[in-house]
Amino acid sequence: MNTSSSPSPQPFDHHLNGADTITTQSDNAATTAGTDSGQLLFTPAQAATTLQVRESWLRRRAAERRVPCTFLGKHLRFSRADMEAIIADARRPSAASRIRTSTSDPLRR
């Protein structure tokens, strides 16, 4: 009988991530959405964490169809392209790059 202790077995759901290393399902649960570039779809919680917004804000915008998203049946998911589009749509020019069109401003002399 072998009395040496061996590490507990890992879950059988193994796959390759973007870095060609084997990870387990439990490892992926601990991985943040922003660092796993091989992930196809993100949950609302993962997408909200990546975008640094509240999950409720993101869910509400998705329900109103104001942000790009994917529904798999009743499950809401966000792709990396969806999140990039959300960022691009929210981008505003800086105050220094705004061009004033009115020259008749009485306060500006």
Side-chain angles (χ1 to χ4, degrees):
M1 182 173 354
N2 186 356
T3 59
S4 66
S5 66
S6 62
S8 62
Q10 293 293 323
F12 64 89
D13 186 19
H14 289 82
H15 64 278
L16 293 176
N17 68 13
D20 294 332
T21 58
I22 295 177
T23 59
T24 63
Q25 186 176 6
S26 60
D27 292 338
N28 284 340
T31 303
T32 60
T35 60
D36 187 5
S37 61
Q39 190 170 348
L40 293 177
L41 294 173
F42 300 87
T43 65
Q46 291 171 321
T49 300
T50 301
L51 295 170
Q52 298 179 350
V53 298
R54 290 181 185 225
E55 184 180 351
S56 60
W57 179 88
L58 191 58
R59 284 182 177 276
R60 186 173 56 253
R61 295 287 170 122
E64 296 168 350
R65 304 298 195 263
R66 294 177 65 189
V67 295
C69 61
T70 302
F71 283 95
L72 296 173
K74 64 178 183 173
H75 302 284
L76 176 62
R77 296 293 182 262
F78 296 90
S79 68
R80 186 158 302 282
D82 291 339
M83 291 188 285
E84 289 171 358
I86 292 168
I87 293 168
D89 290 344
R91 188 169 287 135
R92 302 285 182 255
S94 66
S97 66
R98 292 184 190 152
I99 300 172
R100 294 182 184 247
T101 57
S102 175
T103 58
S104 62
D105 186 2
L107 300 176
R108 188 169 182 226
R109 290 186 185 229

